[in-house]
């Protein structure tokens, strides 16, 4: 069971901005542990989108940005494009009984 | 560029042992500072970190799987493997291998395989 909660879905028209939240607690994001984000198109390899809270790997457009505050984090996609339609996951570490890397529940982004 | 590719059986019976292999190309495992990881996604569920291994053989496992999971590495073939014993239907999932980077407070996964679907059914 994922300990990081994300909305099941968000949607927006092309060109719009959407924000995906990732809510944790004092054992993970709020501990504080860093947050990372992944983009996943079903049937393909997940792709690292953001690492260590705000950093974009080479090749990731600057339309993708992220921030963290307290026990939560958010991923923003500006200038939404059709190719952004995918599942998005946050990831952090949890020091409670699980004691391991943990992922969010996942958010499906739909481009209207 | 570095690529990861999972391989293994797609169908298992309950109580059998799942064995998967991840072939790493483009980066010698024994020369890297990365960790090599298994992650799975059960149907309708999120991603679950299962465990990782360093080229030296040092491992770390998800506590929920520790009693059934064994991860090994073969630097001669540049592969690492997963063995999960006593599988049940709850182990039906897409299994991914990934490269894990040690970060100051939280590791992350910068490269992933395409994933392989494993179904456990009688």
């Amino acid at each position: 069971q994922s300990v990081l909660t994300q909305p099941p879905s968000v949607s927006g028209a092309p060109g719009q901005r959407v924000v995906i939240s990732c809510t944790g607690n004092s054992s993970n994001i709020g501990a504080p542990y860093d947050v990372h984000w992944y983009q996943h198109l079903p049937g393909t390899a997940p792709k690292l989108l953001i690492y260590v809270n705000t950093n974009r790997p080479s090749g990731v457009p600057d339309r993708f940005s992220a921030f963290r505050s307290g026990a939560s984090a958010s991923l923003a996609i500006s200038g939404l494009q059709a190719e952004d339609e995918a599942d998005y996951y946050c990831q952090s570490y949890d020091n409670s009984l699980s004691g391991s890397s943990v992922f969010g529940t996942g958010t499906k982004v739909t481009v209207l | 560029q570095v690529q990861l590719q999972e391989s293994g059986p797609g169908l298992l019976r309950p109580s059998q042992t799942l064995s998967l292999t991840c072939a790493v190309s483009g980066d010698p495992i024994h020369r890297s500072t990365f960790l090599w990881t298994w992650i799975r996604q059960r149907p309708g569920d999120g991603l679950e970190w299962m465990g990782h291994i360093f080229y030296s053989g040092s491992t770390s496992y998800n506590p929920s799987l520790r009693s059934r999971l064994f991860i090994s590495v073969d630097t001669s073939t540049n592969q690492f493997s997963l063995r999960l014993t006593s599988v049940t239907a709850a182990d039906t999932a897409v299994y991914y291998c990934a490269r894990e980077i040690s970060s100051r407070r939280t590791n992350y996964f910068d490269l992933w395989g395409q994933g392989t679907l494993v179904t456990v059914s009688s």
Side-chain angles (χ1 to χ4, degrees), chain A residues 22 24-26 28-33 35 67-73:
Chain A
C22 174
N25 56 41
S26 59
N28 41 68
I29 299 175
Y33 290 108
V35 180
F67 47 94
R68 196 192 91 197
S69 177
S72 297

Side-chain angles (χ1 to χ4, degrees), chain A residues 2 32-34 36 38 40 43-46 48 51-53 68 89 91-93 97-101 103-104, chain B residues 39 41-42 45-49 61-64 66 96 100 103-114:
Chain A
S2 299
Y33 290 108
D34 293 328
H36 320 289
Y38 303 86
H40 186 209
T44 69
L48 177 66
Y51 66 96
V52 188
N53 304 315
R68 196 192 91 197
Y89 294 89
Q91 177 244 320
S92 186
Y93 181 85
L97 289 178
S98 64
S100 64
S101 292
F103 290 89
Chain B
I39 294 165
Q41 183 173 30
R42 289 180 277 197
D45 210 346
L47 296 162
E48 179 183 28
W49 178 84
Y61 298 125
N62 188 318
S64 69
R66 187 171 289 145
Y96 298 94
E100 182 173 343
S103 182
R104 53 185 181 149
R105 282 203 296 260
T106 310
N107 294 354
Y108 57 95
F109 315 100
D110 72 326
L111 282 176
W112 299 60
Q114 300 270 48

Side-chain angles (χ1 to χ4, degrees), chain A residues 2-107:
Chain A
S2 299
V3 297
L4 304 180
T5 302
Q6 299 178 232
S9 63
V10 299
S11 61
Q16 284 190 329
R17 179 177 185 263
V18 297
V19 177
I20 301 168
S21 62
C22 174
T23 303
N25 56 41
S26 59
S27 296
N28 41 68
I29 299 175
Y33 290 108
D34 293 328
V35 180
H36 320 289
W37 291 89
Y38 303 86
Q39 178 190 61
H40 186 209
L41 281 77
T44 69
K47 173 186 175 183
L48 177 66
L49 209 57
I50 299 285
Y51 66 96
V52 188
N53 304 315
T54 60
N55 300 279
R56 286 187 307 276
S58 174
V60 174
D62 59 6
R63 302 185 293 103
F64 294 91
S65 62
F67 47 94
R68 196 192 91 197
S69 177
S72 297
S74 294
L75 173 73
I77 310 174
S78 303
L80 197 62
Q81 299 182 4
E83 67 215 47
D84 300 332
E85 188 161 293
D87 297 322
Y88 293 82
Y89 294 89
C90 60
Q91 177 244 320
S92 186
Y93 181 85
D94 191 282
N95 63 18
S96 66
L97 289 178
S98 64
S100 64
S101 292
V102 289
F103 290 89
T105 49
T107 299

